[in-house]
Amino acid sequence: MRAFRQDLRRKGIERRRLRNDELHSEMVVIFGPELSAKQAVEQLECLVARIKKHGLQTGKDSSEDYVLETLAGKLVK
């Protein structure tokens, strides 16, 4: 995940190159079978607002701490 790879980069450790069939900068959002198109858009708008306000959880770093990344790129544990 992003947090672990960013932690390695900050420590100067070479990161393994991602294969073409691995996620690079893509995002996956899974909608349930009962969600309408209108509800999907509303939920995505809520997600955007939450990320803007609180940041995006990008996984665990090498010390197993969960990391949030703010819009400014600041990492928060």
Side-chain angles (χ1 to χ4, degrees):
M1 294 189 73
R2 179 171 171 77
F4 185 78
R5 291 181 60 80
Q6 294 296 80
D7 190 45
L8 293 177
R9 182 186 60 78
R10 280 191 310 281
K11 292 177 179 176
I13 300 171
E14 187 173 334
R15 297 166 288 166
R16 179 183 63 81
R17 182 177 166 90
L18 294 173
R19 297 185 322 253
N20 288 339
D21 65 344
E22 293 180 304
L23 290 176
H24 291 247
S25 61
E26 299 84 4
M27 182 177 90
V28 177
V29 177
I30 300 172
F31 297 114
E34 300 295 322
L35 199 70
S36 70
K38 179 181 178 186
Q39 291 170 318
V41 168
E42 290 169 351
Q43 290 301 310
L44 288 170
E45 289 171 343
C46 288
L47 178 59
V48 168
R50 184 176 178 88
I51 292 170
K52 284 181 178 179
K53 183 175 182 179
H54 300 288
L56 177 68
Q57 185 173 333
T58 58
K60 292 181 180 180
D61 62 13
S62 60
S63 63
E64 296 292 313
D65 289 327
Y66 285 99
V67 177
L68 289 172
E69 184 175 345
T70 67
L71 288 182
K74 182 178 178 185
L75 301 179
V76 182
K77 294 183 182 189

